[in-house]
Amino acid sequence: MEFSFTCQARLILLFQILCFTAAQRNRGFPITRCQKTTTNTVYLTNVQTALASVSSAVATHYGFNKTSVGASPNTVTAAALCRGDIGLETCKDCISNSRVLLQQNCSNQTEALIWSWNCSLLYSNRTYTSTFYNRPYAKLLSYVNASNVDAFGMALRNLAGSLRTEAAGGNSLRKFATGDAVFGPDSSKIYALMQCAPDLSSFDCNSCLSVVFREAQGCCDSDIDVAVYYTSCFVRYSNVLFYNDPPTISLPAISPSSTSSPATQGNISRLRGLTKYSRWSKEVC
């Protein structure tokens, strides 16, 4: 009986730990942003159609889908993005649930966006081209500082630089990277994840992640658990492992012709975006 009770107590303790970890992981989610109430029934019908379209197709497009519905001035653009380390079923469920929450929390709105733990979903009357936007955005932090601030900051900056390069170097299906770094005399670990919408060029992905990471450092320097979300990219880092390694779904092989086309588009976008990015960087700093 004593052995049975001990096993039962351990199981209860383990369950409590798992529940606490899940609660911490989902802390602050979902985050919604909505604006500009409208009574335009044509536009609102297009919203429903656009959200249904991206929700139904996101899993078959490896976690990202974007569509536009309707003619101007009632055109609605919707985009869905799942975290690059989750499986397709998890992705599909997240977008489906986010769609319901978005419609509940942001009914009759011209623009709306929701960030959940595993995905994001948005719609707007603006045409979202393959560039990044600095607004709206969301930040989450734990208000717990690293024990060794200097070592933590150096390890995190080095890790972020490496992951930013890796994510920006991704292909047209996924621009995503995860990794960890050891810091301090007690060999503590920091885990980080960076991701862009895969239709961004390599240059714009790199630029977006650079700005987002600076935003994280500006608001939450030395905080050990931070997430900053923009519409086109996001950064998350924590002292607890929070991502799947390796990702639970593999991407198909990309042909050389497919990869050369995004590269060409990226170079063009880079030349066109230099002035815009310089002006934005100055504003953020």
Side-chain angles (χ1 to χ4, degrees):
M1 290 295 292
E2 180 181 353
F3 176 77
S4 176
F5 175 78
T6 302
C7 289
Q8 184 179 17
R10 287 177 177 174
L11 286 173
I12 293 173
L13 177 61
L14 177 60
F15 178 76
Q16 290 173 336
I17 292 173
L18 290 174
C19 288
F20 175 78
T21 302
Q24 288 295 100
R25 182 189 68 179
N26 289 285
R27 171 183 49 84
F29 292 99
I31 304 166
T32 55
R33 297 284 188 271
C34 40
Q35 61 180 359
K36 300 179 183 177
T37 301
T38 180
T39 57
N40 184 336
T41 56
V42 175
Y43 182 82
L44 293 174
T45 298
N46 290 341
V47 167
Q48 301 299 323
T49 304
L51 290 177
S53 177
V54 293
S55 299
S56 63
V58 66
T60 58
H61 287 81
Y62 300 96
F64 174 74
N65 195 25
K66 185 170 66 175
T67 189
S68 292
V69 173
S72 180
N74 297 310
T75 304
V76 176
T77 298
L81 176 65
C82 288
R83 234 174 56 185
D85 62 314
I86 65 172
L88 295 182
E89 284 302 315
T90 303
C91 170
K92 183 178 178 181
D93 290 343
C94 183
I95 294 297
S96 178
N97 293 334
S98 295
R99 175 188 169 194
V100 172
L101 290 173
L102 195 64
Q103 292 171 320
Q104 288 177 347
N105 298 335
C106 299
S107 60
N108 302 327
Q109 301 290 308
T110 302
E111 292 185 288
L113 185 152
I114 183 169
W115 289 282
S116 298
W117 171 247
N118 284 324
C119 66
S120 63
L121 178 65
L122 67 85
Y123 70 84
S124 174
N125 60 346
R126 291 182 289 170
T127 300
Y128 280 91
T129 57
S130 299
T131 56
F132 65 90
Y133 294 86
N134 62 335
R135 296 294 183 272
Y137 72 95
K139 291 181 284 192
L140 293 173
L141 60 156
S142 66
Y143 299 100
V144 178
N145 290 338
S147 56
N148 190 321
V149 173
D150 292 338
F152 169 78
M154 181 177 294
L156 179 59
R157 287 190 295 272
N158 290 337
L159 177 60
S162 174
L163 295 183
R164 185 176 68 248
T165 300
E166 182 182 346
N171 58 37
S172 59
L173 295 180
R174 184 175 296 166
K175 286 182 169 64
F176 171 82
T178 60
D180 61 77
V182 177
F183 69 94
D186 57 350
S187 298
S188 299
K189 267 194 173 183
I190 184 71
Y191 302 89
L193 180 156
M194 290 188 168
Q195 184 170 359
C196 296
D199 62 338
L200 288 187
S201 68
S202 295
F203 175 79
D204 278 337
C205 178
N206 194 307
S207 300
C208 188
L209 291 173
S210 295
V211 174
V212 172
F213 185 69
R214 285 202 298 272
E215 188 81 36
Q217 294 294 279
C219 79
C220 325
D221 187 33
S222 77
D223 195 296
I224 60 172
D225 194 341
V226 176
V228 178
Y229 294 86
Y230 278 26
T231 56
S232 300
C233 73
F234 69 92
V235 171
R236 170 79 197 274
Y237 54 86
S238 174
N239 63 328
V240 177
L241 180 61
F242 61 92
Y243 52 78
N244 296 309
D245 185 21
T248 56
I249 185 67
S250 299
L251 297 178
I254 302 295
S255 65
S257 60
S258 298
T259 54
S260 62
S261 177
T264 301
Q265 294 172 358
N267 290 333
I268 295 173
S269 176
R270 181 179 186 276
L271 292 174
R272 292 176 176 171
L274 284 175
T275 303
K276 177 195 71 174
Y277 178 61
S278 299
R279 184 169 62 250
W280 185 25
S281 297
K282 189 179 297 183
E283 178 187 340
V284 172
C285 294

